[in-house]
mmCIF file of all heavy atoms in Angstrom:
data_model
loop_
_atom_site.group_PDB
_atom_site.id
_atom_site.type_symbol
_atom_site.label_atom_id
_atom_site.label_comp_id
_atom_site.label_asym_id
_atom_site.label_seq_id
_atom_site.Cartn_x
_atom_site.Cartn_y
_atom_site.Cartn_z
ATOM 1 N N ASP A 1079 10.224 -5.522 5.431
ATOM 2 C CA ASP A 1079 11.580 -5.834 4.961
ATOM 3 C C ASP A 1079 12.295 -4.594 4.442
ATOM 4 O O ASP A 1079 13.514 -4.507 4.487
ATOM 5 C CB ASP A 1079 11.545 -6.889 3.849
ATOM 6 C CG ASP A 1079 11.214 -8.272 4.364
ATOM 7 O OD1 ASP A 1079 11.265 -8.502 5.598
ATOM 8 O OD2 ASP A 1079 10.894 -9.149 3.523
ATOM 9 N N LYS A 1080 11.527 -3.640 3.943
ATOM 10 C CA LYS A 1080 12.090 -2.384 3.432
ATOM 11 C C LYS A 1080 12.161 -1.322 4.532
ATOM 12 O O LYS A 1080 12.466 -0.166 4.261
ATOM 13 C CB LYS A 1080 11.238 -1.845 2.281
ATOM 14 C CG LYS A 1080 11.032 -2.806 1.142
ATOM 15 C CD LYS A 1080 12.191 -2.811 0.206
ATOM 16 C CE LYS A 1080 11.834 -3.706 -0.998
ATOM 17 N NZ LYS A 1080 12.906 -3.809 -1.933
ATOM 18 N N ASP A 1081 11.850 -1.718 5.780
ATOM 19 C CA ASP A 1081 11.855 -0.793 6.930
ATOM 20 C C ASP A 1081 10.919 0.396 6.721
ATOM 21 O O ASP A 1081 11.255 1.537 7.057
ATOM 22 C CB ASP A 1081 13.267 -0.297 7.257
ATOM 23 C CG ASP A 1081 14.157 -1.405 7.781
ATOM 24 O OD1 ASP A 1081 13.645 -2.277 8.506
ATOM 25 O OD2 ASP A 1081 15.355 -1.400 7.460
ATOM 26 N N LEU A 1082 9.732 0.108 6.166
ATOM 27 C CA LEU A 1082 8.735 1.148 5.945
ATOM 28 C C LEU A 1082 7.557 0.965 6.893
ATOM 29 O O LEU A 1082 7.216 -0.163 7.249
ATOM 30 C CB LEU A 1082 8.222 1.095 4.505
ATOM 31 C CG LEU A 1082 9.253 1.341 3.406
ATOM 32 C CD1 LEU A 1082 8.635 1.082 2.047
ATOM 33 C CD2 LEU A 1082 9.787 2.760 3.491
ATOM 34 N N LYS A 1083 6.950 2.075 7.265
ATOM 35 C CA LYS A 1083 5.729 2.043 8.060
ATOM 36 C C LYS A 1083 4.543 1.992 7.100
ATOM 37 O O LYS A 1083 4.675 2.279 5.909
ATOM 38 C CB LYS A 1083 5.633 3.282 8.947
ATOM 39 C CG LYS A 1083 6.747 3.377 9.982
ATOM 40 C CD LYS A 1083 6.589 4.600 10.832
ATOM 41 C CE LYS A 1083 7.150 5.778 10.052
ATOM 42 N NZ LYS A 1083 7.202 7.013 10.807
ATOM 43 N N GLN A 1084 3.377 1.638 7.631
ATOM 44 C CA GLN A 1084 2.180 1.641 6.800
ATOM 45 C C GLN A 1084 1.949 3.016 6.202
ATOM 46 O O GLN A 1084 1.536 3.132 5.044
ATOM 47 C CB GLN A 1084 0.953 1.208 7.611
ATOM 48 C CG GLN A 1084 0.871 -0.267 7.860
ATOM 49 C CD GLN A 1084 -0.428 -0.669 8.530
ATOM 50 O OE1 GLN A 1084 -1.178 0.174 9.043
ATOM 51 N NE2 GLN A 1084 -0.695 -1.959 8.542
ATOM 52 N N SER A 1085 2.219 4.043 6.963
ATOM 53 C CA SER A 1085 2.013 5.407 6.449
ATOM 54 C C SER A 1085 2.940 5.695 5.269
ATOM 55 O O SER A 1085 2.554 6.426 4.348
ATOM 56 C CB SER A 1085 2.205 6.435 7.561
ATOM 57 O OG SER A 1085 3.499 6.330 8.121
ATOM 58 N N ASP A 1086 4.142 5.121 5.273
ATOM 59 C CA ASP A 1086 5.057 5.297 4.145
ATOM 60 C C ASP A 1086 4.497 4.635 2.887
ATOM 61 O O ASP A 1086 4.522 5.222 1.799
ATOM 62 C CB ASP A 1086 6.431 4.687 4.450
ATOM 63 C CG ASP A 1086 7.130 5.331 5.628
ATOM 64 O OD1 ASP A 1086 6.982 6.565 5.818
ATOM 65 O OD2 ASP A 1086 7.820 4.605 6.368
ATOM 66 N N ALA A 1087 4.007 3.415 3.037
ATOM 67 C CA ALA A 1087 3.429 2.692 1.900
ATOM 68 C C ALA A 1087 2.185 3.426 1.390
ATOM 69 O O ALA A 1087 1.988 3.552 0.177
ATOM 70 C CB ALA A 1087 3.092 1.261 2.296
ATOM 71 N N ALA A 1088 1.373 3.908 2.295
ATOM 72 C CA ALA A 1088 0.168 4.642 1.907
ATOM 73 C C ALA A 1088 0.538 5.901 1.133
ATOM 74 O O ALA A 1088 -0.095 6.223 0.117
ATOM 75 C CB ALA A 1088 -0.653 4.993 3.141
ATOM 76 N N GLU A 1089 1.561 6.584 1.572
ATOM 77 C CA GLU A 1089 2.000 7.795 0.881
ATOM 78 C C GLU A 1089 2.469 7.468 -0.537
ATOM 79 O O GLU A 1089 2.186 8.207 -1.478
ATOM 80 C CB GLU A 1089 3.114 8.477 1.674
ATOM 81 C CG GLU A 1089 3.528 9.806 1.112
ATOM 82 C CD GLU A 1089 4.546 10.505 1.985
ATOM 83 O OE1 GLU A 1089 4.470 10.394 3.216
ATOM 84 O OE2 GLU A 1089 5.429 11.172 1.405
ATOM 85 N N MET A 1090 3.188 6.370 -0.703
ATOM 86 C CA MET A 1090 3.638 5.966 -2.037
ATOM 87 C C MET A 1090 2.459 5.717 -2.974
ATOM 88 O O MET A 1090 2.544 5.962 -4.170
ATOM 89 C CB MET A 1090 4.490 4.697 -1.960
ATOM 90 C CG MET A 1090 5.862 4.913 -1.393
ATOM 91 S SD MET A 1090 6.935 3.462 -1.533
ATOM 92 C CE MET A 1090 6.014 2.214 -0.669
ATOM 93 N N LEU A 1091 1.357 5.214 -2.411
ATOM 94 C CA LEU A 1091 0.175 4.908 -3.214
ATOM 95 C C LEU A 1091 -0.797 6.081 -3.293
ATOM 96 O O LEU A 1091 -1.818 5.994 -3.961
ATOM 97 C CB LEU A 1091 -0.539 3.684 -2.632
ATOM 98 C CG LEU A 1091 0.268 2.389 -2.616
ATOM 99 C CD1 LEU A 1091 -0.509 1.295 -1.904
ATOM 100 C CD2 LEU A 1091 0.642 1.955 -4.022
ATOM 101 N N ASN A 1092 -0.464 7.151 -2.576
ATOM 102 C CA ASN A 1092 -1.305 8.348 -2.523
ATOM 103 C C ASN A 1092 -2.697 8.029 -1.951
ATOM 104 O O ASN A 1092 -3.721 8.455 -2.495
ATOM 105 C CB ASN A 1092 -1.410 9.007 -3.900
ATOM 106 C CG ASN A 1092 -1.862 10.441 -3.820
ATOM 107 O OD1 ASN A 1092 -1.621 11.125 -2.831
ATOM 108 N ND2 ASN A 1092 -2.540 10.905 -4.852
ATOM 109 N N ILE A 1093 -2.694 7.243 -0.873
ATOM 110 C CA ILE A 1093 -3.933 6.908 -0.171
ATOM 111 C C ILE A 1093 -3.728 7.150 1.316
ATOM 112 O O ILE A 1093 -2.609 7.386 1.770
ATOM 113 C CB ILE A 1093 -4.367 5.433 -0.422
ATOM 114 C CG1 ILE A 1093 -3.290 4.454 0.075
ATOM 115 C CG2 ILE A 1093 -4.698 5.216 -1.894
ATOM 116 C CD1 ILE A 1093 -3.678 2.989 -0.045
ATOM 117 N N LYS A 1094 -4.798 7.055 2.090
ATOM 118 C CA LYS A 1094 -4.696 7.240 3.543
ATOM 119 C C LYS A 1094 -4.142 5.969 4.192
ATOM 120 O O LYS A 1094 -4.336 4.860 3.699
ATOM 121 C CB LYS A 1094 -6.065 7.571 4.124
ATOM 122 C CG LYS A 1094 -6.575 8.894 3.629
ATOM 123 C CD LYS A 1094 -7.897 9.243 4.252
ATOM 124 C CE LYS A 1094 -8.345 10.549 3.618
ATOM 125 N NZ LYS A 1094 -9.155 11.340 4.432
ATOM 126 N N GLN A 1095 -3.482 6.153 5.332
ATOM 127 C CA GLN A 1095 -2.882 5.038 6.056
ATOM 128 C C GLN A 1095 -3.934 4.007 6.449
ATOM 129 O O GLN A 1095 -3.702 2.808 6.365
ATOM 130 C CB GLN A 1095 -2.118 5.554 7.282
ATOM 131 C CG GLN A 1095 -1.382 4.488 8.058
ATOM 132 C CD GLN A 1095 -2.243 3.799 9.116
ATOM 133 O OE1 GLN A 1095 -3.155 4.415 9.669
ATOM 134 N NE2 GLN A 1095 -1.967 2.553 9.378
ATOM 135 N N GLN A 1096 -5.099 4.462 6.874
ATOM 136 C CA GLN A 1096 -6.168 3.543 7.286
ATOM 137 C C GLN A 1096 -6.601 2.660 6.116
ATOM 138 O O GLN A 1096 -6.831 1.465 6.280
ATOM 139 C CB GLN A 1096 -7.369 4.319 7.832
ATOM 140 C CG GLN A 1096 -8.528 3.441 8.269
ATOM 141 C CD GLN A 1096 -8.152 2.507 9.418
ATOM 142 O OE1 GLN A 1096 -7.361 2.843 10.283
ATOM 143 N NE2 GLN A 1096 -8.715 1.316 9.418
ATOM 144 N N GLN A 1097 -6.700 3.243 4.944
ATOM 145 C CA GLN A 1097 -7.073 2.483 3.753
ATOM 146 C C GLN A 1097 -6.020 1.420 3.452
ATOM 147 O O GLN A 1097 -6.342 0.261 3.201
ATOM 148 C CB GLN A 1097 -7.228 3.423 2.554
ATOM 149 C CG GLN A 1097 -7.687 2.757 1.284
ATOM 150 C CD GLN A 1097 -7.862 3.749 0.149
ATOM 151 O OE1 GLN A 1097 -7.777 4.959 0.337
ATOM 152 N NE2 GLN A 1097 -8.111 3.241 -1.036
ATOM 153 N N TYR A 1098 -4.735 1.802 3.503
ATOM 154 C CA TYR A 1098 -3.662 0.839 3.277
ATOM 155 C C TYR A 1098 -3.711 -0.269 4.321
ATOM 156 O O TYR A 1098 -3.555 -1.448 4.002
ATOM 157 C CB TYR A 1098 -2.283 1.517 3.290
ATOM 158 C CG TYR A 1098 -1.192 0.508 3.120
ATOM 159 C CD1 TYR A 1098 -0.837 0.061 1.856
ATOM 160 C CD2 TYR A 1098 -0.553 -0.054 4.224
ATOM 161 C CE1 TYR A 1098 0.127 -0.916 1.697
ATOM 162 C CE2 TYR A 1098 0.409 -1.019 4.072
ATOM 163 C CZ TYR A 1098 0.751 -1.449 2.814
ATOM 164 O OH TYR A 1098 1.696 -2.441 2.665
ATOM 165 N N SER A 1099 -3.928 0.096 5.569
ATOM 166 C CA SER A 1099 -4.000 -0.876 6.650
ATOM 167 C C SER A 1099 -5.082 -1.924 6.381
ATOM 168 O O SER A 1099 -4.876 -3.118 6.614
ATOM 169 C CB SER A 1099 -4.283 -0.162 7.979
ATOM 170 O OG SER A 1099 -4.463 -1.085 9.014
ATOM 171 N N GLU A 1100 -6.212 -1.485 5.874
ATOM 172 C CA GLU A 1100 -7.300 -2.421 5.570
ATOM 173 C C GLU A 1100 -6.924 -3.374 4.443
ATOM 174 O O GLU A 1100 -7.315 -4.539 4.452
ATOM 175 C CB GLU A 1100 -8.573 -1.651 5.236
ATOM 176 C CG GLU A 1100 -9.149 -0.955 6.459
ATOM 177 C CD GLU A 1100 -10.314 -0.038 6.160
ATOM 178 O OE1 GLU A 1100 -10.677 0.135 4.964
ATOM 179 O OE2 GLU A 1100 -10.877 0.515 7.119
ATOM 180 N N TYR A 1101 -6.139 -2.914 3.479
ATOM 181 C CA TYR A 1101 -5.649 -3.803 2.428
ATOM 182 C C TYR A 1101 -4.696 -4.836 3.029
ATOM 183 O O TYR A 1101 -4.792 -6.022 2.761
ATOM 184 C CB TYR A 1101 -4.901 -3.027 1.344
ATOM 185 C CG TYR A 1101 -5.742 -2.060 0.548
ATOM 186 C CD1 TYR A 1101 -5.200 -0.872 0.088
ATOM 187 C CD2 TYR A 1101 -7.071 -2.321 0.247
ATOM 188 C CE1 TYR A 1101 -5.952 0.023 -0.660
ATOM 189 C CE2 TYR A 1101 -7.835 -1.429 -0.489
ATOM 190 C CZ TYR A 1101 -7.272 -0.263 -0.938
ATOM 191 O OH TYR A 1101 -8.006 0.628 -1.669
ATOM 192 N N GLU A 1102 -3.780 -4.360 3.850
ATOM 193 C CA GLU A 1102 -2.764 -5.235 4.434
ATOM 194 C C GLU A 1102 -3.385 -6.274 5.370
ATOM 195 O O GLU A 1102 -2.934 -7.415 5.409
ATOM 196 C CB GLU A 1102 -1.735 -4.380 5.178
ATOM 197 C CG GLU A 1102 -0.468 -5.126 5.484
ATOM 198 C CD GLU A 1102 0.619 -4.213 6.000
ATOM 199 O OE1 GLU A 1102 1.303 -3.577 5.183
ATOM 200 O OE2 GLU A 1102 0.779 -4.128 7.231
ATOM 201 N N GLU A 1103 -4.422 -5.889 6.093
ATOM 202 C CA GLU A 1103 -5.079 -6.806 7.024
ATOM 203 C C GLU A 1103 -6.091 -7.724 6.338
ATOM 204 O O GLU A 1103 -6.660 -8.604 6.980
ATOM 205 C CB GLU A 1103 -5.768 -6.011 8.137
ATOM 206 C CG GLU A 1103 -4.779 -5.280 9.037
ATOM 207 C CD GLU A 1103 -5.462 -4.385 10.046
ATOM 208 O OE1 GLU A 1103 -6.643 -4.640 10.371
ATOM 209 O OE2 GLU A 1103 -4.824 -3.431 10.511
ATOM 210 N N GLY A 1104 -6.329 -7.508 5.056
ATOM 211 C CA GLY A 1104 -7.270 -8.344 4.322
ATOM 212 C C GLY A 1104 -8.721 -7.963 4.527
ATOM 213 O O GLY A 1104 -9.616 -8.740 4.216
ATOM 214 N N LEU A 1105 -8.959 -6.775 5.052
ATOM 215 C CA LEU A 1105 -10.325 -6.317 5.271
ATOM 216 C C LEU A 1105 -10.946 -5.776 3.987
ATOM 217 O O LEU A 1105 -12.165 -5.726 3.861
ATOM 218 C CB LEU A 1105 -10.359 -5.237 6.358
ATOM 219 C CG LEU A 1105 -9.844 -5.681 7.730
ATOM 220 C CD1 LEU A 1105 -9.813 -4.496 8.689
ATOM 221 C CD2 LEU A 1105 -10.703 -6.803 8.281
ATOM 222 N N ARG A 1106 -10.083 -5.343 3.058
ATOM 223 C CA ARG A 1106 -10.516 -4.846 1.753
ATOM 224 C C ARG A 1106 -9.568 -5.396 0.707
ATOM 225 O O ARG A 1106 -8.397 -5.655 0.996
ATOM 226 C CB ARG A 1106 -10.438 -3.313 1.692
ATOM 227 C CG ARG A 1106 -11.359 -2.607 2.639
ATOM 228 C CD ARG A 1106 -11.123 -1.116 2.654
ATOM 229 N NE ARG A 1106 -11.517 -0.504 1.384
ATOM 230 C CZ ARG A 1106 -11.473 0.801 1.165
ATOM 231 N NH1 ARG A 1106 -11.035 1.628 2.099
ATOM 232 N NH2 ARG A 1106 -11.855 1.307 0.023
ATOM 233 N N LEU A 1107 -10.069 -5.557 -0.506
ATOM 234 C CA LEU A 1107 -9.217 -5.976 -1.611
ATOM 235 C C LEU A 1107 -8.553 -4.761 -2.234
ATOM 236 O O LEU A 1107 -9.202 -3.751 -2.478
ATOM 237 C CB LEU A 1107 -10.035 -6.713 -2.675
ATOM 238 C CG LEU A 1107 -10.609 -8.058 -2.268
ATOM 239 C CD1 LEU A 1107 -11.475 -8.621 -3.400
ATOM 240 C CD2 LEU A 1107 -9.496 -9.033 -1.924
ATOM 241 N N MET A 1108 -7.257 -4.874 -2.474
ATOM 242 C CA MET A 1108 -6.522 -3.778 -3.082
ATOM 243 C C MET A 1108 -6.778 -3.783 -4.591
ATOM 244 O O MET A 1108 -6.617 -4.817 -5.239
ATOM 245 C CB MET A 1108 -5.021 -3.924 -2.814
ATOM 246 C CG MET A 1108 -4.184 -2.798 -3.399
ATOM 247 S SD MET A 1108 -2.410 -3.015 -3.125
ATOM 248 C CE MET A 1108 -2.251 -2.308 -1.491
ATOM 249 N N PRO A 1109 -7.182 -2.655 -5.156
ATOM 250 C CA PRO A 1109 -7.371 -2.580 -6.602
ATOM 251 C C PRO A 1109 -6.064 -2.874 -7.345
ATOM 252 O O PRO A 1109 -4.970 -2.587 -6.848
ATOM 253 C CB PRO A 1109 -7.809 -1.128 -6.843
ATOM 254 C CG PRO A 1109 -8.324 -0.664 -5.530
ATOM 255 C CD PRO A 1109 -7.533 -1.394 -4.492
ATOM 256 N N ILE A 1110 -6.194 -3.417 -8.526
ATOM 257 C CA ILE A 1110 -5.020 -3.810 -9.307
ATOM 258 C C ILE A 1110 -4.091 -2.625 -9.572
ATOM 259 O O ILE A 1110 -2.871 -2.791 -9.585
ATOM 260 C CB ILE A 1110 -5.437 -4.511 -10.622
ATOM 261 C CG1 ILE A 1110 -4.238 -5.165 -11.302
ATOM 262 C CG2 ILE A 1110 -6.124 -3.550 -11.573
ATOM 263 C CD1 ILE A 1110 -3.773 -6.403 -10.642
ATOM 264 N N THR A 1111 -4.637 -1.442 -9.729
ATOM 265 C CA THR A 1111 -3.780 -0.279 -9.975
ATOM 266 C C THR A 1111 -2.874 0.006 -8.777
ATOM 267 O O THR A 1111 -1.709 0.356 -8.954
ATOM 268 C CB THR A 1111 -4.614 0.971 -10.308
ATOM 269 O OG1 THR A 1111 -5.588 1.170 -9.280
ATOM 270 C CG2 THR A 1111 -5.311 0.834 -11.645
ATOM 271 N N TYR A 1112 -3.390 -0.155 -7.579
ATOM 272 C CA TYR A 1112 -2.558 0.022 -6.387
ATOM 273 C C TYR A 1112 -1.573 -1.132 -6.242
ATOM 274 O O TYR A 1112 -0.426 -0.928 -5.844
ATOM 275 C CB TYR A 1112 -3.402 0.122 -5.116
ATOM 276 C CG TYR A 1112 -4.253 1.366 -5.009
ATOM 277 C CD1 TYR A 1112 -5.389 1.364 -4.220
ATOM 278 C CD2 TYR A 1112 -3.932 2.542 -5.675
ATOM 279 C CE1 TYR A 1112 -6.184 2.496 -4.097
ATOM 280 C CE2 TYR A 1112 -4.724 3.669 -5.562
ATOM 281 C CZ TYR A 1112 -5.850 3.641 -4.771
ATOM 282 O OH TYR A 1112 -6.631 4.760 -4.645
ATOM 283 N N SER A 1113 -2.005 -2.343 -6.563
ATOM 284 C CA SER A 1113 -1.104 -3.493 -6.492
ATOM 285 C C SER A 1113 0.071 -3.301 -7.439
ATOM 286 O O SER A 1113 1.226 -3.559 -7.080
ATOM 287 C CB SER A 1113 -1.840 -4.783 -6.863
ATOM 288 O OG SER A 1113 -2.876 -5.041 -5.965
ATOM 289 N N PHE A 1114 -0.214 -2.833 -8.651
ATOM 290 C CA PHE A 1114 0.838 -2.577 -9.632
ATOM 291 C C PHE A 1114 1.821 -1.545 -9.102
ATOM 292 O O PHE A 1114 3.036 -1.730 -9.152
ATOM 293 C CB PHE A 1114 0.214 -2.104 -10.954
ATOM 294 C CG PHE A 1114 1.222 -1.672 -11.968
ATOM 295 C CD1 PHE A 1114 1.912 -2.611 -12.722
ATOM 296 C CD2 PHE A 1114 1.489 -0.325 -12.168
ATOM 297 C CE1 PHE A 1114 2.859 -2.214 -13.653
ATOM 298 C CE2 PHE A 1114 2.430 0.077 -13.094
ATOM 299 C CZ PHE A 1114 3.114 -0.865 -13.841
ATOM 300 N N GLU A 1115 1.294 -0.456 -8.563
ATOM 301 C CA GLU A 1115 2.151 0.617 -8.049
ATOM 302 C C GLU A 1115 2.951 0.145 -6.833
ATOM 303 O O GLU A 1115 4.125 0.485 -6.690
ATOM 304 C CB GLU A 1115 1.303 1.844 -7.693
ATOM 305 C CG GLU A 1115 2.102 3.062 -7.300
ATOM 306 C CD GLU A 1115 2.983 3.610 -8.413
ATOM 307 O OE1 GLU A 1115 2.780 3.268 -9.591
ATOM 308 O OE2 GLU A 1115 3.896 4.383 -8.082
ATOM 309 N N PHE A 1116 2.335 -0.656 -5.966
ATOM 310 C CA PHE A 1116 3.033 -1.208 -4.801
ATOM 311 C C PHE A 1116 4.223 -2.046 -5.263
ATOM 312 O O PHE A 1116 5.331 -1.893 -4.763
ATOM 313 C CB PHE A 1116 2.067 -2.040 -3.954
ATOM 314 C CG PHE A 1116 2.696 -2.635 -2.731
ATOM 315 C CD1 PHE A 1116 2.872 -1.883 -1.589
ATOM 316 C CD2 PHE A 1116 3.107 -3.960 -2.721
ATOM 317 C CE1 PHE A 1116 3.450 -2.426 -0.451
ATOM 318 C CE2 PHE A 1116 3.685 -4.521 -1.591
ATOM 319 C CZ PHE A 1116 3.866 -3.744 -0.459
ATOM 320 N N CYS A 1117 3.991 -2.930 -6.230
ATOM 321 C CA CYS A 1117 5.074 -3.782 -6.745
ATOM 322 C C CYS A 1117 6.176 -2.943 -7.368
ATOM 323 O O CYS A 1117 7.360 -3.217 -7.171
ATOM 324 C CB CYS A 1117 4.535 -4.771 -7.760
ATOM 325 S SG CYS A 1117 3.493 -6.049 -7.040
ATOM 326 N N ARG A 1118 5.794 -1.929 -8.124
ATOM 327 C CA ARG A 1118 6.774 -1.066 -8.763
ATOM 328 C C ARG A 1118 7.624 -0.343 -7.715
ATOM 329 O O ARG A 1118 8.850 -0.328 -7.799
ATOM 330 C CB ARG A 1118 6.077 -0.055 -9.672
ATOM 331 C CG ARG A 1118 7.036 0.727 -10.564
ATOM 332 C CD ARG A 1118 6.330 1.810 -11.353
ATOM 333 N NE ARG A 1118 5.848 2.893 -10.504
ATOM 334 C CZ ARG A 1118 6.627 3.809 -9.910
ATOM 335 N NH1 ARG A 1118 7.920 3.756 -10.058
ATOM 336 N NH2 ARG A 1118 6.101 4.751 -9.164
ATOM 337 N N CYS A 1119 6.975 0.213 -6.713
ATOM 338 C CA CYS A 1119 7.699 0.948 -5.664
ATOM 339 C C CYS A 1119 8.594 0.038 -4.832
ATOM 340 O O CYS A 1119 9.676 0.444 -4.396
ATOM 341 C CB CYS A 1119 6.718 1.674 -4.752
ATOM 342 S SG CYS A 1119 5.881 3.064 -5.517
ATOM 343 N N MET A 1120 8.146 -1.175 -4.588
ATOM 344 C CA MET A 1120 8.903 -2.117 -3.765
ATOM 345 C C MET A 1120 9.918 -2.929 -4.572
ATOM 346 O O MET A 1120 10.696 -3.693 -4.009
ATOM 347 C CB MET A 1120 7.950 -3.086 -3.057
ATOM 348 C CG MET A 1120 7.034 -2.428 -2.082
ATOM 349 S SD MET A 1120 7.963 -1.761 -0.694
ATOM 350 C CE MET A 1120 6.680 -0.935 0.168
ATOM 351 N N ASN A 1121 9.867 -2.766 -5.902
ATOM 352 C CA ASN A 1121 10.767 -3.485 -6.801
ATOM 353 C C ASN A 1121 10.624 -5.009 -6.643
ATOM 354 O O ASN A 1121 11.610 -5.724 -6.467
ATOM 355 C CB ASN A 1121 12.216 -3.046 -6.591
ATOM 356 C CG ASN A 1121 13.096 -3.449 -7.742
ATOM 357 O OD1 ASN A 1121 12.632 -3.552 -8.882
ATOM 358 N ND2 ASN A 1121 14.355 -3.708 -7.461
ATOM 359 N N ILE A 1122 9.366 -5.460 -6.655
ATOM 360 C CA ILE A 1122 9.066 -6.891 -6.569
ATOM 361 C C ILE A 1122 8.088 -7.257 -7.680
ATOM 362 O O ILE A 1122 7.450 -6.394 -8.269
ATOM 363 C CB ILE A 1122 8.449 -7.263 -5.197
ATOM 364 C CG1 ILE A 1122 7.165 -6.460 -4.953
ATOM 365 C CG2 ILE A 1122 9.448 -7.063 -4.071
ATOM 366 C CD1 ILE A 1122 6.390 -6.889 -3.729
#
């Protein structure tokens, strides 16, 4: 919805794109610290 690529979101969280992709696909659980930062960056 924000017209961002996975690599953009990963950069905001200071992680690799592959790691972010695994969170988004549900292959790994995102730590609360990353969830907090994701919400802050996305303003949600």
Side-chain angles (χ1 to χ4, degrees):
D1079 287 346
K1080 305 278 186 182
D1081 292 324
L1082 298 173
K1083 297 181 279 186
Q1084 283 186 346
S1085 58
D1086 298 325
E1089 186 175 324
M1090 287 188 302
L1091 298 175
N1092 199 28
I1093 61 176
K1094 295 183 183 208
Q1095 184 273 330
Q1096 179 62 34
Q1097 183 178 352
Y1098 177 83
S1099 175
E1100 290 173 357
Y1101 295 146
E1102 196 170 277
E1103 294 174 24
L1105 300 175
R1106 296 173 68 177
L1107 293 176
M1108 181 182 275
I1110 191 74
T1111 53
Y1112 292 156
S1113 298
F1114 174 79
E1115 187 64 17
F1116 181 81
C1117 290
R1118 190 186 69 72
C1119 290
M1120 296 294 175
N1121 197 29
I1122 58 172

